[in-house]
Amino acid sequence: MMRGFAKGLAVAALVAPLLSACVIYDSDAGENVSVNVTRNDAPPAEAIREARFADGALVARVDSNGCTQASDFEVSVSDGSPAEITLRRTKPDLCKALVADGVELRWTYADLGLEPGTPARILNPLK
């Protein structure tokens, strides 16, 4: 029984990279923003304070210890109507300054790989 389980894990490990796709955009701010179309091994969705669409961009307020920036996040966008967007922190903020109100981060529709005005929703939990 254990041998079959180990074999199944080995197959899963080999197949997982084939199931993911990643597109990287360079934002106007000079940061590299990673947008994943699908990814099964992604970190959990970040609990965010708020999110809105304003001035042609997704604006999300997240917790910060003083060094959080958009490039610290992976943004998953799934096709559909509306498109579903999930923010995942991939780089921890190890700074020591507690920012009481968090920080606002922006991703334009182009960063997200979406046409301007495309209906979309954020799947992240709210704090």
Side-chain angles (χ1 to χ4, degrees):
M1 171 124 177
M2 194 61 161
R3 178 176 281 167
F5 178 73
K7 194 180 286 186
L9 282 178
V11 169
L14 292 173
V15 172
L18 300 174
L19 298 176
S20 66
C22 180
V23 179
I24 297 181
Y25 295 92
D26 191 23
S27 70
D28 293 339
E31 299 175 305
N32 287 325
V33 178
S34 174
V35 178
N36 281 301
V37 180
T38 56
R39 183 169 169 206
N40 296 329
D41 63 340
E46 177 85 359
I48 60 176
R49 293 172 180 234
E50 69 174 298
R52 67 185 185 282
F53 288 92
D55 301 321
L58 164 62
V59 180
R61 182 171 295 278
V62 300
D63 288 340
S64 176
N65 289 335
C67 297
T68 299
Q69 51 191 320
S71 60
D72 297 340
F73 285 81
E74 172 182 279
V75 183
S76 299
V77 181
S78 66
D79 291 335
S81 186
E84 296 180 334
I85 301 170
T86 305
L87 305 174
R88 292 181 174 89
R89 188 183 295 259
T90 57
K91 181 180 174 194
D93 183 343
L94 301 176
C95 289
K96 304 288 184 198
L98 180 62
V99 181
D101 294 330
V103 295
E104 280 193 350
L105 305 175
R106 290 177 49 90
W107 292 271
T108 66
Y109 275 92
D111 291 337
L112 300 171
L114 298 172
E115 292 294 320
T118 299
R121 66 180 177 174
I122 311 306
L123 299 181
N124 293 67
L126 291 175
K127 283 191 138 192

